[in-house]
Amino acid sequence: MEREHFNSRIGMLLAMVGSAVGLGNIWRFPYLVGEYGGAAFIIVYLFFVVVFAVPIMLAEFTIGRRSQTNAYRAFGKLAPGTGWKWLGILPVICPVMILAFYNVVGGWSIHYLIKSFTFTHGADRAVLGEMFDNYVTSVGIPIIETIIFILLTAFVVKGGVKSGIEKCGKIMMPVLFIIILGLAIWVAFLPGAGEGILFLFKPDFSKISGDMCLAALGQSFFSLSVGMGAMLTYSSFVPKSENLMSSSAKVAVSDFFFAILASCAVMPAAFSFNVDPGQGPGLVFETLPFIFSQMHAGPVIAALFFFSVVIAALTSTVSLFEVGVNYFIEEFGITRRRAVIIECLILAVLSAVCSLSCGIWGDFKILGNNVFDTFDKFTSNIAMPLGGLMTCLFVGWKMKKPDVRDELTNGGSIASNVRIYPVIYFLVRYIAPVGIIAIIIANFL
Ligand code: TRP
């Protein structure tokens, strides 16, 4: 069977940007910025994007496009008969673990989208906070909404690479951009918004710490979808003629831009209404509803905002979902439809467990964290750095040098890539691995 490829360059890019831009940008990035003191975090984050995340993305692109197969088989195909093939296990397990909790947050977003029309004007903060707590700890509704979200993802992936994934990105990403841009502009005119903007752009370097560096590193991987086989899988659908370096740069720039734009929509609003921007994961689901409820146009703004959260999350889950589906199709020779159904069933169970761990199963703890947090922390702090590390070692030390160069410069035919190539290779071979190891060790000290 011939492998499907992306149809157009813009479609391919939007699918990749869609994978990168997600809850990581709209939900996680703003609260991390709030928690770790604003601009200093952004600068450290940006540094990690350039020296670690982008080189790893290029390493994934190299493996994916070279091997023309799923993330599980790719390593073994490029280094036959070696132990490297076991690396393929990471991209089979980890995307599922991310999806398990990510889908739950997707479900919450659907809930708030529906709810947004009912935020009563002038509602009390405590009431809204309580509403969130009651909702996430309840049994039925969050699970149902999570499953609706899983089905939405499944619907897109069922359509295949061209008419599912590519089309979804092409429609959703421009819509997302317009909504978030509109919100950011609107928020900038709220009274007191300037303070929030200052917080975002004025660095306080005393806030830099080991803990913050690990958070920034984890976030750079999470946000650019690297270390987990998603970009590897997408790049296996990329035509040979495409320029991988320029694609990765475009994805990274757009992703950063979206994260900043989303922060510009969230942070100044928090300052304007005197709420603490450093309160963590509840920022988007507790604080923003409060802010929306204080405004006359609140319900409309809230609906737009949560709609954008849903579509941002969706284009990301599609990329993670496809990793597993591609694996099932190619390794077990089943149809796409069947692969999608299997993956849906697995995810429905795992996501339901994550959802329940926020409520009635909250007492079951692994190293002090409930299942939801365990999946979140394990994937961002351990699996992704480890996956990124191994990907770099594979491309930098195991793959044949001419093969890597050939893939990244299209056989030497792109002059600018030929020039930058030594820098990228150096980053992949030495800097990224050493840096990742250092940060992991620093975290244990
Ligand atoms: N990048 C997405 C976000 O920012 C999440 C995501 C999608 C992801 N695919 C991934 C994270 C693959 C790691 C690996 O929300």
Side-chain angles (χ1 to χ4, degrees), residues 19-25 98 102 221-226 228 230 255 316 319-320 384:
S19 166
V21 175
L23 296 173
N25 304 61
I98 297 187
Y102 205 99
F221 285 19
F222 189 85
S223 196
L224 287 181
S225 306
V226 298
M228 208 99 298
D255 184 71
S316 297
S319 73
L320 285 163
M384 273 186 232

Side-chain angles (χ1 to χ4, degrees), residues 289-366:
F290 165 70
I291 294 173
F292 296 142
S293 76
Q294 303 303 303
M295 307 165 171
H296 285 289
V300 179
I301 304 286
L304 282 174
F305 179 79
F306 286 109
F307 181 67
S308 73
V309 178
V310 172
I311 55 180
L314 189 63
T315 50
S316 297
T317 48
V318 162
S319 73
L320 285 163
F321 203 95
E322 176 64 22
V323 179
V325 166
N326 212 247
Y327 163 76
F328 284 126
I329 296 175
E330 292 179 353
E331 297 303 311
F332 298 93
I334 58 178
T335 59
R336 177 167 281 271
R337 194 185 139 81
R338 200 162 271 181
V340 168
I341 295 174
I342 296 176
E343 179 133 358
C344 272
L345 292 175
I346 298 174
L347 287 173
V349 173
L350 288 177
S351 293
V353 173
C354 279
S355 176
L356 291 172
S357 80
C358 299
I360 54 168
W361 288 358
D363 291 334
F364 176 73
K365 295 231 156 83
I366 304 163

Side-chain angles (χ1 to χ4, degrees), residues 72-260:
Y72 168 71
R73 180 167 297 228
F75 297 93
K77 186 166 172 187
L78 295 179
T82 66
W84 287 96
K85 70 165 188 278
W86 296 108
L87 260 190
I89 293 180
L90 269 181
V92 174
I93 299 172
C94 296
V96 171
M97 290 181 79
I98 297 187
L99 282 171
F101 71 89
Y102 205 99
N103 287 330
V104 176
V105 185
W108 296 350
S109 317
I110 292 183
H111 183 81
Y112 272 79
L113 170 59
I114 301 167
K115 265 263 163 108
S116 52
F117 295 102
T118 65
F119 290 149
T120 19
H121 184 61
D124 198 333
R125 254 197 98 190
V127 173
L128 287 169
E130 212 171 294
M131 186 181 103
F132 180 70
D133 286 342
N134 287 341
Y135 163 65
V136 297
T137 53
S138 62
V139 175
I141 299 182
I143 295 187
I144 294 172
E145 284 159 342
T146 299
I147 290 178
I148 294 177
F149 186 80
I150 296 175
L151 292 176
L152 284 177
T153 310
F155 177 75
V156 175
V157 175
K158 193 181 84 19
V161 177
K162 286 193 182 77
S163 36
I165 299 173
E166 185 170 342
K167 205 165 170 190
C168 166
K170 255 173 143 168
I171 300 170
M172 304 279 198
M173 292 319 287
V175 174
L176 182 65
F177 174 70
I178 292 168
I179 298 178
I180 307 226
L181 180 69
L183 287 173
I185 293 176
W186 187 76
V187 163
F189 290 102
L190 290 174
E195 226 181 303
I197 305 223
L198 210 63
F199 176 76
L200 276 177
F201 295 109
K202 199 172 138 236
D204 170 2
F205 291 109
S206 68
K207 296 268 171 54
I208 295 180
S209 65
D211 192 32
M212 173 217 216
C213 287
L214 190 73
L217 181 78
Q219 174 64 11
S220 72
F221 285 19
F222 189 85
S223 196
L224 287 181
S225 306
V226 298
M228 208 99 298
M231 287 299 179
L232 194 163
T233 304
Y234 271 11
S235 64
S236 73
F237 309 134
V238 170
K240 284 283 178 202
S241 56
E242 283 303 325
N243 181 341
L244 294 179
M245 282 196 202
S246 100
S247 305
S248 74
K250 284 176 189 148
V251 173
V253 169
S254 321
D255 184 71
F256 183 67
F257 183 70
F258 262 101
I260 293 292

Side-chain angles (χ1 to χ4, degrees), residues 2 37-38 41 62 186 245 272 342 359 380 399 424 439:
E2 222 210 298
F41 178 83
T62 306
W186 187 76
M245 282 196 202
S272 173
I342 296 176
S380 347
M399 271 181 81
I424 304 283
I439 291 171

